[in-house]
Amino acid sequence: MPLPPPSTDANVDDPAATAPPEAVTPLLRGIGVLRRLTGAGGRMPVGELERATGLARSTVDRITGTLARMGYVRVEGRDVVLAPPLLELGNAYLASVRLPGLLGGLADALADELDESVSLAVPDGDGIRFVHQATRRRAMSVSFRIGDLLPAERTAPGLLFASAWDAAGWAAWRERRSADPAGRGFPAAPPSGRADAVDFAERAAEAARHGWAVDDQLVEPGLVALSVPVRDGAGRIVCALSTVSHTSRHDTASLRADLLPRLRETAAAMERVLREAPAEEPAAPSGLAAWTADSKQELGREFVESLARGLTVITAFGAGRAELPLTAVAEATGLARATARRALITLEHLGCVATEGRAFRLTPRVLDLGFPPLSRTTLTRIAQPHLARLAERVRESTSLAVLVGDDVQYTGRVETSRIMNVHITLGTRFPAYATSMGRVLLADLPPGERAARLAGAAPRPLTPYTVTDRAELGALLDEVARAGYALVDQELEEGLRSIAMPVRDRAGRAVAAVNVALHASRRTPEECVREVLPELAAAIAGIEADLHVTERFARVPAH
């Protein structure tokens, strides 16, 4: 199989310089902007983005305006910020290759057993890219983000993948090493002044003989890793299973002695899963062609329709749609064949698409489009812009909280600028039974767990209005579960009224709650339900949409 273009992106500054005549210039430029934002950690001042891409300010404004319309970026003051909906592009690739979905559970179980971080990586040109991470949360932990790209010569998975390179692959690697010996084109790894590539071919051959490979502090001092290959039914390495540790816990010898047998057992189990996995039913693609036409009609020249259409082509792929002919891409997106063809040619030029005969498939390079910074986000960060818009619409303070034991803990908050306001600091905990957010979270618990919590709690009156009778609280929670929201009137503090709804994950579980809190003099309970509840529901719908696309292949901690 031929290798994609070299990993260092030579076309970002002037993406049209070497493009084929059929390439879509706005798509080239738009992907260049997304890659620059990704390399900057997901946020960049628009002026700096202009300088980094070499594009005119008007062009940058039109591109970022189009991406904002698609939900892929937000414009916050002078900054352009990557937004969670952009992850649908990387999700399309990850769903199409099936590796995280089929093998991620085995990797997670191994990480729990070994108490070390475990990852899955795939080859990307002369680099390696992570597609799944099961990390350990400790003071001294080592991990990478999903989508991070590392040079093959400085990683254990890279040794395994390089063992299958042909002459063209080695030539591409040598060319890249000559142009970028320190590896500055791989921002996820610190530049290296070491001559770590001198014996790379020899080490790759040795890895092929042993069936495993180690990284002894080549990426970063103190980091050690051990990798084994995972092969498909034809014997080709489809990914590498790795465990990563720190020299305070392991050296490469102890990694091999203690962990190699379990890595090999898990890799064998993964290979069985790959052989036995049934074919997936094609999922409905999230094509945006009709929407882009409507947006063009509304916004005119400020909306770059060819950029939006080109990105839509990526969403044609996904579960059950790993390889598609041109006709299928056009049908899935609603685009004309000629339009889809030009977009595919452009994406192939950028390394995001590869061809297999007459079929096209996505490559790991799609993960360059925002996945690394966005995959390591938290629920609090996802919710914050929605909380801000909600506070602006209702002109009251809004909060996000999670259930911790018998309390709710505030993890996100936006206050209004009123003279009389509700002031609560992040990290504050209140008894769940006396708060609106606590009640929607308690109401979502299984009946047995909810009853046990109420039986074990000792509710005390915080104000003259606080409900403390367990039977009455149980009835209130039943009503909250039916209604989908909770309104608490001066039970936590006299004069404080709040209304809350749950935030649900992809499985439908309430993982957090959002409320609007106000002084009782400003709105009656009936006005809260009539005026605030619809705005609250709209904000939560936005939070959930962003959460669901983010957590499809990544873990989303609360804060």
Side-chain angles (χ1 to χ4, degrees), residues 47-381:
E48 188 176 330
L49 191 56
E50 178 187 356
R51 290 189 294 274
T53 59
L55 299 173
R57 177 60 178 267
S58 59
T59 301
V60 172
D61 287 344
R62 292 181 66 219
I63 288 172
T64 56
T66 300
L67 295 172
R69 176 75 171 192
M70 299 181 77
Y72 290 171
V73 304
R74 295 192 308 272
V75 180
E76 297 181 353
R78 298 181 178 180
D79 288 353
V80 181
V81 184
L82 296 180
L86 177 63
L87 287 170
E88 72 175 356
L89 303 182
N91 285 348
Y93 162 73
L94 294 173
S96 71
V97 296
R98 305 182 69 186
L99 296 175
L102 291 175
L103 309 183
L106 290 169
D108 295 345
L110 181 63
D112 290 339
E113 177 188 340
L114 303 181
D115 195 26
E116 298 286 358
S117 294
V118 171
S119 65
L120 296 172
V122 296
D124 184 358
D126 58 358
I128 68 108
R129 203 178 288 271
F130 294 100
V131 295
H132 184 79
Q133 288 284 346
T135 59
R136 302 293 89 190
R137 299 191 70 177
R138 55 169 66 102
M140 181 63 74
S141 62
V142 289
S143 64
F144 294 98
R145 303 167 301 182
I146 297 174
D148 272 338
L149 178 69
L150 300 179
E153 67 272 13
R154 293 173 62 188
T155 68
L159 291 167
L160 298 172
F161 299 141
S163 67
W165 286 355
D166 58 14
W170 282 104
W173 174 78
R174 284 191 292 270
E175 181 180 351
R176 190 265 297 165
R177 282 288 303 182
S178 176
D180 183 23
R184 298 184 184 278
F186 297 85
S192 173
R194 299 172 54 179
D196 48 52
V198 173
D199 58 348
F200 181 44
E202 182 179 329
R203 289 187 292 127
E206 185 176 313
R209 290 193 299 271
H210 292 320
W212 51 264
V214 294
D215 159 22
D216 190 359
Q217 307 182 72
L218 290 177
V219 171
E220 187 173 285
L223 184 151
V224 290
L226 173 67
S227 295
V228 296
V230 177
R231 300 178 184 273
D232 63 13
R236 295 172 297 194
I237 301 176
V238 293
C239 66
L241 170 67
S242 304
T243 183
V244 186
S245 190
H246 192 270
T247 50
S248 60
R249 294 171 60 85
H250 281 287
D251 59 19
T252 54
S254 68
L255 273 180
R256 292 196 306 275
D258 299 343
L259 308 186
L260 181 58
R262 283 298 295 120
L263 250 70
R264 281 178 160 162
E265 290 173 11
T266 301
M270 289 180 171
E271 291 173 348
R272 287 194 296 273
V273 168
L274 292 177
R275 288 195 302 270
E276 299 168 3
E280 287 186 306
E281 288 295 321
S286 55
L288 301 171
W291 178 87
T292 59
D294 292 342
S295 296
K296 182 67 174 179
Q297 183 77 16
E298 179 181 345
L299 300 178
R301 70 177 306 275
E302 296 307 310
F303 184 80
V304 187
E305 189 174 14
S306 55
L307 166 58
R309 286 177 167 176
L311 294 176
T312 298
V313 164
I314 295 176
T315 69
F317 299 84
R321 307 177 70 87
E323 295 186 355
L324 297 174
L326 173 59
T327 300
V329 173
E331 291 175 352
T333 56
L335 297 173
R337 276 176 54 92
T339 302
R341 176 178 173 275
R342 291 189 64 204
L344 287 166
I345 289 171
T346 308
L347 293 169
E348 185 176 17
H349 169 69
L350 293 169
C352 295
V353 164
T355 56
E356 300 283 348
R358 293 189 175 184
F360 298 87
R361 61 175 175 84
L362 298 181
T363 75
R365 200 69 50 86
V366 174
L367 297 176
D368 256 348
L369 307 181
F371 218 95
L374 290 172
S375 70
R376 194 59 68 84
T377 194
T378 65
L379 178 54
T380 300
R381 290 177 186 164

Side-chain angles (χ1 to χ4, degrees), residues 421-442:
N421 210 340
V422 180
H423 296 289
I424 300 171
T425 58
L426 295 183
T428 297
R429 291 167 65 154
F430 290 125
Y433 68 86
T435 67
S436 60
M437 291 190 288
R439 285 186 184 169
V440 295
L441 293 172
L442 290 172

